[in-house]
Amino acid sequence: MAVKKKASTRTAAPPAPAGRRKIAAITIHDVAALAGVSAISVSRYFNQPDRVSEALRARIEDAVARTGFVPSQVAMGLASARSKVVCAVIPSIANSVFSETVQGMTDVLRSSGHQLLLATSNYSMAEEETAVCAFAGWRPAAMILTGPTHTERTDAVLRAGGFPVVETWDVRPNRPFHQVGFAHDRVGYEQARHLLGQGLRRIRFLRTGMREDFRGEQRSQGYARAMAQAGLQADIHVPESLDPYEAGAQAMARFAAEPVRRRPQGIIFANDNMAAGAILAAPALGLALPGDCAIVGFGDFPVARRLTPALTTVHPGRYEIGRTAALLVLRLIGEDGGPGAAAPPESHLIDTEFHIRASSLVAGRRRPGNPGSP
């Protein structure tokens, strides 16, 4: 009598999605076996390359290249209790001011075996908070931020993080973290003093349209202080356009429409791109610069000296800010056990340079000397 087999009720596993094959992970032991060295030597190759002989480095490097091995940063951090990742948050990667600062950080950290992990805030404290919280979860070796103005939660996360924190691009008193930068208030003060020194009395400051551009706000306050000392009224405008070139062009159109006897004799722009937009728009408006209006910028962007007239501006030492911040980080997290987050806050002032060019030298009003570097 034939026996019928009972149909199986077990469901077969679905096939793996196309393009997702399970592969065996390459380990540090595989690299060591291929190179003919110990796993400790391979680990030292990644963590302390200067302690590995040139001959061994060549063999390990060849094995790493052939296997495609990449060490796990998480595992390395757990094994050594120190991460090799330094996190940084900057306002914008598109702005050459900040990109040079990032280059300064990278040049220093790369030579020490540390990697820079970068995020942008788009000039938003809320977006900065999101980036800081995400980075803090990975327990970085240190964190580098732009400026000392953050949300309450960001400050709390940084204080509780247990890693060194360096604030760049601004130096203000009574901050609990290390700082590398300069006083923007002082820069705005010197910009105004330069124009006042040429006999100008009606001077305007044009900020950016970004609500959280705190560094531009600090410079406008320095400008206002210089005007008040001279017994003059401050004139601070905020443009409608967020595009810096368009904002500068609009500022010049507004200037051209004002009565000659009441419009400003000089304008200080929050950055060089805004100043460039103004200078480029001036000829079409029938304006001759600097005769009709002296122009001062900030940033010393590559375009500044190529404009006609060449732009008077402030060079903020952007590369040196990044370099100094990274050197400070390495000292705080030294391989021999640096002081880390427990170190008392340090302030490192970076020199700025005031480049006086044709855009602010008004014929018949020029006086010898200048107020010096801010």
Side-chain angles (χ1 to χ4, degrees):
M1 178 175 172
V3 179
K4 293 183 179 180
K5 292 185 178 180
K6 187 176 181 180
S8 173
T9 58
R10 187 173 64 181
T11 304
R20 291 181 59 188
R21 293 186 304 157
K22 186 176 181 180
I23 59 174
I26 302 297
T27 70
I28 195 171
H29 300 285
D30 298 321
V31 175
L34 185 59
V37 301
S38 68
I40 293 177
S41 294
V42 178
S43 177
R44 190 172 292 134
Y45 167 83
F46 286 106
N47 296 316
Q48 298 170 302
D50 56 322
R51 295 183 59 186
V52 180
S53 69
E54 186 175 342
L56 283 186
R57 279 204 306 269
R59 286 160 56 184
I60 296 170
E61 184 175 348
D62 178 67
V64 169
R66 290 166 62 186
T67 60
F69 173 74
V70 176
S72 167
Q73 294 295 330
V74 174
M76 289 169 65
L78 290 173
S80 65
R82 278 198 301 269
S83 169
K84 300 291 285 186
V85 173
V86 175
C87 299
V89 185
I90 62 171
S92 170
I93 195 64
N95 192 326
S96 63
V97 163
F98 300 114
S99 62
E100 287 190 37
T101 298
V102 171
Q103 190 62 55
M105 298 178 198
T106 303
D107 288 348
V108 171
L109 295 174
R110 181 170 48 206
S111 64
S112 70
H114 288 77
Q115 292 295 322
L116 182 67
L117 192 59
L118 190 66
T120 58
S121 68
N122 296 309
Y123 294 91
S124 164
M125 288 196 298
E127 290 191 35
E128 180 192 60
E129 177 185 300
T130 299
V132 166
C133 290
F135 283 158
W138 288 95
R139 301 298 186 266
M143 201 174 297
I144 302 174
L145 303 180
T146 305
T149 307
H150 318 292
T151 66
E152 184 177 348
R153 185 187 180 197
T154 297
D155 270 337
V157 169
L158 295 174
R159 286 194 299 268
F163 45 76
V165 175
V166 179
E167 296 173 329
T168 61
W169 274 93
D170 204 344
V171 172
R172 296 189 206 173
N174 304 318
R175 289 294 295 163
F177 309 117
H178 306 280
Q179 296 184 318
V180 176
F182 54 92
H184 285 260
D185 172 89
R186 181 67 181 176
V187 169
Y189 178 84
E190 295 294 354
Q191 289 174 311
R193 290 293 301 168
H194 167 64
L195 295 180
L196 289 167
Q198 298 196 64
L200 307 189
R201 291 297 176 263
R202 297 191 304 276
I203 302 170
R204 176 173 294 166
F205 191 103
L206 198 78
R207 289 180 50 186
T208 69
M210 292 175 287
R211 184 172 56 88
E212 295 183 358
D213 180 11
F214 301 110
R215 288 163 294 282
E217 180 184 358
Q218 287 286 308
R219 293 195 296 277
S220 73
Q221 291 174 5
Y223 145 83
R225 179 162 57 91
M227 295 292 283
Q229 286 182 0
L232 301 170
Q233 186 71 33
D235 179 17
I236 301 174
H237 284 209
V238 178
E240 294 181 2
S241 177
L242 293 178
D243 179 87
Y245 288 97
E246 182 62 26
Q250 290 176 358
M252 199 85 309
R254 173 177 180 167
F255 169 88
E258 294 178 79
V260 174
R261 293 184 178 274
R262 294 206 315 233
R263 67 191 187 191
Q265 299 163 310
I267 302 177
I268 301 170
F269 288 88
N271 61 56
D272 283 359
N273 287 341
M274 295 174 69
I279 290 175
L280 293 172
L285 296 168
L287 301 172
L289 305 179
D292 288 322
C293 183
I295 302 291
V296 175
F298 174 84
D300 197 25
F301 297 170
V303 70
R305 69 189 66 189
R306 293 174 174 82
L307 292 167
T308 303
L311 178 61
T312 290
T313 186
V314 177
H315 183 89
R318 43 191 178 254
Y319 179 88
E320 189 61 25
I321 289 173
R323 177 180 175 275
T324 302
L327 287 171
L328 176 58
V329 161
L330 293 183
R331 179 163 60 80
L332 293 170
I333 60 173
E335 294 299 330
D336 56 349
E346 301 178 13
S347 293
H348 295 258
L349 289 172
I350 303 300
D351 289 336
T352 59
E353 299 174 358
F354 201 160
H355 295 307
I356 299 176
R357 302 186 180 117
S359 72
S360 68
L361 299 177
V362 183
R365 295 193 179 117
R366 182 177 181 182
R367 296 181 180 181
N370 65 71
S373 295

